[in-house]
Amino acid sequence: MASYIGNAIPRLDGRAKVTGAAKYAAEFNVPGLVYGSVVTSTIAKGRIRAIDTREALRVEGVIDVLTHENRPRMAESDDAYTDDVAAEGRPFRPLYDDRVLFNLQPIALVLAETSEAARFAASLLRVDYEQDAHVTDLFAARDKATAVSQDSFALSPAKLRGDAAKALAAAARRHEAEYSSPVEHHNPMEPYATTVIWEGGGKLTVHEKTQGVQNVQRYLCRVFEAKPEDIRVLSRYVGGAFGSGLRPQYAAVLAVLAARALKRSVRVVLTRQQMYGLGYRPATIHRIALAAKLDGRVDAITQEAIAMTSQYEEFARKDTIWSGALYQSAHARYAHALARLDVPTPCDMRAPGAATGVYALECAMDELAVALKLDPLELRYRAYSDRDQNAGVPYTSKELRECYRQGAEAFGWAKRNPEPRTMRDGRELVGWGMATGVWEALDVPITTRIALSANGHAEVACATSDIGTGTYTIMGQVTAEMLGLPLENVDVKLGDSTLPQSPVEGGSWIASSVSNAIAATCAMIREDLLNWARQIPGSPLVDAKLEDVALVDGSLALKGDTHRAVSIADAMRQGGADRIEHQKSLSPSDDGKHARNTHSAIFAEVKVDEQLGVIRVTRVVSAVAAGRILNPATARSQVMGGVVWGIGMALHEETLIDHKFGRIMNANIAEYHVPVNADVHDIDVIFVAEPDAIINPLGIKGLGEIGIVGVASAVANAVYHATGRRVRDLPITLDKLLG
Ligand code: MOS
């Protein structure tokens, strides 16, 4: 009998994806499909005086042009537009009125019989604006930033420790500097896209690119005042999301609006350029001050973050809590302010808050190590904390020390010459840098349904998405293992709003939540089978207890004596059933007495061409402690993806806005740089053993986000070590390095 949990099982959806059998939101075809092309604003702020649609309407094949002036009715209350993961404020409403809140705002939808006609006609709209002055530059608005008022996601730790100002003033060694990160846009392979199938009678099937089908379903029902049974949202495959698909997107609203208006099926796909009108990591500025005693113990940490949000919503993420939590320090203080700009609301992007906040912290720690003349890894050991310093509680588990040890060993850190510019490879300077990563290990309420047939087949169902992280596979693995079935006998159903409840797939919380729910649902099935098995005359399990039996190889067997067993088929026959179905909702059991986190240690090697300033990241070792690893193959792939993204954050990614026009200048993947294969060299992922008997029954921590945290700082620290130049504003481009 194969064991599935903990084994590198190939992705269940892999074949469908590489053969093209997997269909994405824009690939569902029906006869008579209408194509919608979005027209977006060319100003950043103001009003639409008039939209002249006459020329567009004369194009052959054009059916209609929807604008705020002629659109069908949509809900009026703010609540209707507030989704499960909305920021505080008044959510944006597409085509709602004449106001322009940001550049690239959708202002019209051209509907035609072909996508070519729709797109051509969209180019013919004439829009007359009344323009207002705008501000899109975080640095220009930083002085007007105001403290975060909401306490949900941004949550500053309640307890400020000690007297940080005094400790800093009296410090034996201190380091203070400002670090910044730019706006970064999501560039998933799959664009924002919606295909709405008009099923007749007002019923709609919505194929949507999303991380949360039920979130989108509820949102659309509210916006269009529709009954829950009238809108079904499907998203069985997602071509990259990592935060961009958490909130419902305007493409979905426009496609449903059009389908209801025309009583036809409609598809709306955003162009790559239009995707820059939403979905980005906000730019941040961090002022960090660190104080240390001469023996290298950190004594004070302060972090003041300024991030950006829109004029209409307050998007804030936990940028500062990590510095307070991670290291032993008697004194700590943090502040988080937001500047309101004339831009769309930012959104989550892989490890929101941590990717930026920990970047600043871990570069500052490196600079403190230099000030102390101490190895940066040794500084982390001296500041090591077995308790969350903010909450003052121990962790459910924390094997960060092992991450440092195993990562350093695999990397060869001991051979590092601490002096910058001392290591060379031909005409390239070699630099070695390291950093710590940290993220949350959350569990969320979720429901799974499992049906087991007498012939040994099972179906497991949950409305979660699989955003490419491997959810199909791990759901299959856990079900197969818990029911003692071959993996190929298990069908996994997800990405359908009619399935049992799931929150959005994000925050690294689905793998652990859904796995524990599956285990609990399987326990109910096991209990039914045991009750029936006991009733069989002469049953070998007549006095067996539930906790003493397991399902193995198609039978219910006594643990430790598998010869005492009853087959699933025999037990079901006894019960007169040919199928058992159970549904179980599981809510996380957080005792409040422990911190729940994943950790990592990242070691990076860069080689810098001394004349040209070209930086190559030649090696990265990421050692991760994330509880029990369900599938080393998909887990490794998550961490590798995070490391690649971190390399992009360090060296490549930056959305450039022409602030005079409030318009993005590089809204395309030719000029918005991301790491390509030539930029990515050796990446070594290590999973450190981290048994955790507290966090949840299976001891699982999610690891969708930990992979990116700290990577940009490890690279930045390596660049300093190679060159002796400290660049604190990301990305580290060669002009900054040579300038
Ligand atoms: Mo993740 S940024 O919560 O998809």
Side-chain angles (χ1 to χ4, degrees):
M1 177 73 209
S3 169
Y4 293 111
I5 295 180
N7 282 341
I9 307 295
R11 284 169 193 272
L12 298 188
D13 50 334
R15 181 175 293 271
K17 282 185 168 174
V18 298
T19 57
K23 280 192 176 183
Y24 294 83
E27 298 181 319
F28 291 86
N29 289 317
V30 287
L33 185 67
V34 175
Y35 297 81
S37 181
V38 178
V39 179
T40 54
S41 68
T42 55
I43 65 163
K45 190 177 191 173
R47 280 174 193 281
I48 301 165
R49 258 197 225 107
I51 301 182
D52 184 346
T53 61
R54 284 172 297 180
E55 209 180 330
L57 286 167
R58 279 199 292 272
V59 174
E60 192 185 328
V62 168
I63 302 162
D64 202 355
V65 179
L66 296 180
T67 69
H68 67 277
E69 288 173 330
N70 68 351
R71 64 159 174 82
R73 186 189 148 74
M74 292 158 75
E76 280 161 21
S77 79
D78 282 340
D79 283 352
Y81 297 81
T82 304
D83 68 280
D84 289 358
V85 281
E88 287 291 305
R90 305 193 62 197
F92 173 68
R93 307 164 179 209
L95 303 195
Y96 196 79
D97 56 27
D98 62 351
R99 293 195 49 195
V100 176
L101 302 170
F102 54 89
N103 216 312
L104 288 177
Q105 174 181 320
I107 55 171
L109 181 71
V110 177
L111 297 160
E113 302 291 349
T114 66
S115 70
E116 291 82 1
R119 208 157 160 182
F120 172 59
S123 73
L124 302 177
L125 251 60
R126 280 167 220 275
V127 185
D128 184 15
Y129 297 102
E130 182 186 306
Q131 212 168 326
D132 293 336
H134 62 261
V135 181
T136 53
D137 184 358
L138 173 61
F139 282 89
R142 62 182 294 172
D143 295 337
K144 294 201 190 96
T146 51
V148 175
S149 62
Q150 59 148 332
D151 64 354
S152 55
F153 284 109
L155 254 187
S156 302
K159 288 189 285 185
L160 305 187
R161 300 196 293 281
D163 187 339
K166 204 166 137 194
L168 278 162
R173 290 285 181 276
R174 51 178 283 165
H175 164 70
E176 182 167 0
E178 187 170 291
Y179 302 84
S180 65
S181 65
V183 168
E184 296 171 1
H185 268 83
H186 279 282
N187 275 288
M189 281 194 288
E190 183 191 11
Y192 297 115
T194 312
T195 304
V196 178
I197 310 294
W198 176 260
E199 306 281 9
K203 285 198 190 300
L204 305 176
T205 301
V206 180
H207 296 281
E208 170 70 350
K209 185 249 170 79
T210 179
Q211 293 172 245
V213 284
Q214 292 181 331
N215 184 31
V216 172
Q217 191 264 352
R218 283 190 292 270
Y219 170 86
L220 291 174
C221 284
R222 287 193 303 270
V223 168
F224 294 101
E225 295 162 336
K227 294 198 289 288
E229 58 272 27
D230 286 347
I231 298 182
R232 178 184 184 191
V233 179
L234 298 172
S235 184
R236 292 198 173 110
Y237 300 100
V238 179
F242 289 112
S244 60
L246 285 172
R247 293 185 69 180
Q249 303 299 344
Y250 72 71
V253 177
L254 298 187
V256 171
L257 188 71
R260 288 164 58 102
L262 303 179
K263 297 188 167 29
R264 289 177 64 174
S265 300
V266 176
R267 173 181 304 154
V268 176
V269 182
L270 299 198
T271 64
R272 186 57 64 176
Q273 285 78 6
Q274 287 170 346
M275 290 175 65
Y276 284 77
L278 63 175
Y280 66 96
R281 193 195 292 283
T284 60
I285 303 169
H286 299 269
R287 176 152 285 278
I288 297 222
L290 301 173
K293 299 202 184 329
L294 277 180
D295 66 0
R297 285 177 199 274
V298 176
D299 195 35
I301 300 177
T302 71
Q303 182 170 13
E304 289 158 26
I306 306 174
M308 59 191 277
T309 189
S310 64
Q311 298 286 1
Y312 53 95
E313 284 175 316
E314 190 174 90
F315 178 93
R317 289 295 179 264
K318 299 167 179 170
D319 271 87
T320 62
I321 67 157
W322 317 100
S323 55
L326 196 52
Y327 296 119
Q328 260 190 57
S329 158
H331 308 276
R333 176 167 52 79
Y334 352 79
H336 191 135
L338 284 176
R340 290 183 177 268
L341 303 176
D342 299 299
V343 292
T345 305
C347 79
D348 288 305
M349 184 188 278
R350 208 168 198 167
T356 45
V358 173
Y359 153 70
L361 171 68
E362 287 300 289
C363 289
M365 285 291 280
D366 201 66
E367 298 203 54
L368 181 66
V370 172
L372 284 161
K373 296 191 173 35
L374 193 63
D375 182 294
L377 178 58
E378 181 56 32
L379 176 63
R380 267 61 170 205
Y381 282 130
R382 293 197 192 172
Y384 198 89
S385 175
D386 288 312
R387 300 170 80 81
D388 175 324
Q389 291 281 309
N390 287 334
V393 294
Y395 293 90
T396 60
S397 60
K398 178 179 176 179
E399 292 296 335
L400 175 58
R401 223 182 239 114
E402 266 307 288
C403 295
Y404 289 140
R405 198 186 65 74
Q406 292 185 29
E409 189 177 305
F411 187 83
W413 184 258
K415 294 197 280 289
R416 178 178 184 263
N417 182 332
E419 205 51 42
R421 301 183 67 88
T422 52
M423 292 168 63
R424 281 185 172 272
D425 180 4
R427 62 196 180 95
E428 287 178 309
L429 294 163
V430 176
W432 289 2
M434 59 84 55
T436 309
V438 55
W439 185 248
E440 298 168 317
L442 297 177
D443 286 288
V444 290
I446 200 165
T447 308
T448 52
R449 183 178 66 220
I450 299 176
L452 172 67
S453 304
N455 65 5
H457 278 76
E459 182 189 281
V460 55
C462 176
T464 179
S465 301
D466 181 344
I467 61 172
T469 42
T471 312
Y472 274 110
T473 312
I474 58 119
M475 283 176 68
Q477 285 176 261
V478 177
T479 308
E481 174 126 350
M482 296 289 165
L483 294 181
L485 301 176
L487 185 56
E488 52 274 20
N489 285 15
V490 177
D491 271 336
V492 182
K493 295 269 186 287
L494 56 72
D496 179 341
S497 62
T498 62
L499 296 175
Q501 170 272 331
S502 171
V504 294
E505 174 162 66
S508 302
W509 55 51
I510 288 293
S512 61
S513 306
V514 80
S515 298
N516 282 291
I518 288 171
T521 315
C522 289
M524 296 167 82
I525 291 175
R526 206 162 59 232
E527 188 167 12
D528 281 3
L529 291 171
L530 179 61
N531 286 338
W532 293 331
R534 280 202 199 105
Q535 295 161 14
I536 295 175
S539 171
L541 298 176
V542 66
D543 51 4
K545 295 193 194 68
L546 184 59
E547 57 272 25
D548 298 332
V549 294
L551 282 159
V552 184
D553 282 338
S555 291
L556 191 66
L558 207 61
K559 291 179 195 166
D561 184 5
T562 47
H563 294 294
R564 286 177 62 189
V566 172
S567 74
I568 290 174
D570 286 346
M572 284 213 195
R573 195 173 306 116
Q574 175 66 31
D578 56 10
R579 196 167 178 278
I580 307 176
E581 182 178 302
H582 279 294
Q583 181 164 316
K584 171 93 180 150
S585 299
L586 203 65
S587 285
S589 55
D590 184 348
D591 63 7
K593 294 185 187 126
H594 293 87
R596 310 155 68 93
N597 292 88
T598 50
H599 292 91
S600 66
I602 305 111
F603 297 84
E605 175 184 86
V606 300
K607 294 190 176 171
V608 183
D609 184 305
E610 208 177 352
Q611 266 89 50
L612 300 177
V614 174
I615 304 166
R616 300 187 300 137
V617 181
T618 44
R619 282 196 301 140
V620 176
V621 173
S622 175
V624 176
R628 181 185 204 177
I629 303 301
L630 287 165
N631 182 328
T634 53
R636 179 167 183 275
S637 158
Q638 283 309 297
V639 175
M640 276 184 68
V643 169
V644 171
W645 207 331
I647 293 171
M649 185 176 169
L651 303 181
H652 306 283
E653 292 200 49
E654 180 175 24
T655 301
L656 297 162
I657 302 172
D658 182 338
H659 296 299
K660 183 170 178 215
F661 299 103
R663 192 163 176 85
I664 294 169
M665 296 186 283
N666 58 341
N668 57 73
I669 43 179
E671 292 162 294
Y672 182 96
H673 294 165
V674 296
V676 296
N677 282 345
D679 298 310
V680 179
H681 299 271
D682 191 30
I683 299 175
D684 185 9
V685 179
I686 296 167
F687 289 110
V688 166
E690 190 179 60
D692 192 326
I694 301 169
I695 192 153
N696 52 52
L698 295 180
I700 302 166
K701 296 177 176 179
L703 42 64
E705 289 166 289
I706 184 66
I708 190 175
V709 186
V711 176
S713 11
V715 172
N717 297 341
V719 170
Y720 167 77
H721 181 239
T723 65
R725 292 287 304 252
R726 187 67 74 168
V727 177
R728 301 190 180 95
D729 53 330
L730 295 182
I732 306 172
T733 47
L734 51 86
D735 54 310
K736 293 176 192 168
L737 200 58
L738 296 174

